[in-house]
Amino acid sequence: MQVMHLGTVEGHVMLFGGPYSNLPALDAAMSEADRRGIPPARRICTGDVVAYGAQPAACVARLRDLSVAVIAGNCERQLASGATDCGFGFAEGSTCDLLSAGWFAHADAAIDATDRCWMRDLPDMIVFRQGGRRFAVIHGGATNIARFRWPMSPASDFDHEVAAITAAAGPVDAVIAGHSGIDFIRRVSDVLWINAGVIGMPPNDGHPATRFAILDQGEARIETLHYDHHHAMRDAWLTQGYDRALETGYWPSEEVLPPALRRSASSASG
């Protein structure tokens, strides 16, 4: 496991996952960081720069130009290795698996050899200190890059990941992750688990706004990102369902989600 150490980081830190090849969302996030006075050196991406959206190469170029710290997501690892699938961990033959063939082919065609070398060199984990706490940043899980961890996952699942992080980089007080597309903050045992959400796709809540997190003196809070989502994918003819998700706020398939996070659950509770 490749671990990057940032030392002690002072000042607000922007944490964000999954730009997902959605350049308008990434530009909006970077503008928001500028507005808050957060320089590129204090912006951390939890990976999957490239995924569902129309502008994979432009998103990579934007983050490379800014020298933002980026964790390797499963998409970066797959593209760097020349794999033919996204490596998201979707069940074979599922709707998400079938839809991924279209957007991954688009990304694979757009990313050049230089970008793949950059992806190959990305760390698996970033470690830093702030506010008296030691943080580890990963993509999905330390045991599996494409591991899905949800707000209601058993505590033992988180404990398992924390043990793997500790083995690779030493004890931590908090973990910052992404991959699942759902933002949440949960304390498990003595460790705070922060999923900063993703900026490139709504969290399946019926609204087009996406999520990121701000770290301030060791304390994290989830923030909402509003951006112009219109035509973000249709101009590239990526119209298999994720284009509508940017407008409706609902994913084209909920197969990967636990039942409690599906629309049927929210309808029943309402």
Side-chain angles (χ1 to χ4, degrees):
M1 180 171 288
Q2 184 178 343
V3 181
M4 174 187 289
H5 294 270
L6 299 182
T8 299
V9 180
E10 303 288 353
H12 290 184
V13 178
M14 173 181 270
L15 310 167
F16 63 98
Y20 288 167
S21 304
N22 185 339
L23 186 62
L26 179 57
D27 283 343
M30 296 301 95
S31 295
E32 181 63 17
D34 290 339
R35 187 185 71 80
R36 293 170 181 251
I38 302 174
R42 287 193 269 118
R43 305 173 194 178
I44 300 176
C45 176
T46 63
D48 285 345
V49 177
V50 171
Y52 312 100
Q55 296 170 293
C59 286
V60 170
R62 185 88 161 94
L63 291 178
R64 291 187 66 185
D65 288 346
L66 290 171
S67 297
V68 169
V70 179
I71 288 287
N74 50 278
C75 284
E76 284 75 53
R77 286 288 180 251
Q78 295 294 92
L79 288 166
S81 68
T84 57
D85 66 271
C86 66
F88 252 101
F90 299 139
E92 185 175 355
S94 67
T95 301
C96 290
D97 180 50
L98 297 174
L99 290 176
S100 71
W103 63 255
F104 189 78
H106 174 77
D108 191 39
I111 297 300
D112 64 19
T114 302
D115 288 339
R116 291 173 202 264
C117 287
W118 173 79
M119 292 175 179
R120 191 174 300 118
D121 292 337
L122 292 175
D124 302 294
M125 185 185 304
I126 292 174
V127 177
F128 66 94
R129 292 183 179 274
Q130 189 188 78
R133 288 178 167 173
R134 190 167 187 259
F135 293 83
V137 188
I138 59 173
H139 179 60
T143 59
N144 184 328
I145 193 172
R147 185 81 67 204
F148 288 102
R149 292 290 178 247
W150 308 105
M152 65 289 297
S153 293
S156 58
D157 289 354
F158 292 98
D159 290 339
H160 186 50
E161 299 298 340
V162 171
I165 291 168
T166 301
V172 296
D173 302 294
V175 176
I176 298 160
H179 185 62
S180 71
I182 303 292
D183 56 282
F184 65 93
I185 299 175
R186 177 178 169 185
R187 179 168 292 281
V188 182
S189 301
D190 294 327
V191 175
L192 194 67
W193 190 282
I194 303 158
N195 191 308
V198 298
I199 60 172
M201 189 68 59
N204 201 52
D205 65 350
H207 303 281
T210 61
R211 302 292 188 274
F212 64 96
I214 294 293
L215 194 65
D216 179 13
Q217 298 182 2
E219 300 293 335
R221 64 179 182 273
I222 302 298
E223 301 275 1
T224 300
L225 178 69
H226 297 276
Y227 73 100
D228 184 2
H229 59 274
H230 297 93
H231 308 297
M233 293 173 69
R234 291 179 184 175
D235 291 344
W237 299 100
L238 289 172
T239 55
Q240 300 126 320
Y242 290 107
D243 58 317
R244 292 189 297 277
L246 299 185
E247 299 180 3
T248 66
Y250 288 120
W251 300 355
S253 172
E254 298 181 316
E255 293 165 324
V256 72
L257 287 169
L261 293 177
R262 296 175 184 174
R263 272 176 278 179
S264 57
S266 61
S267 299
S269 64

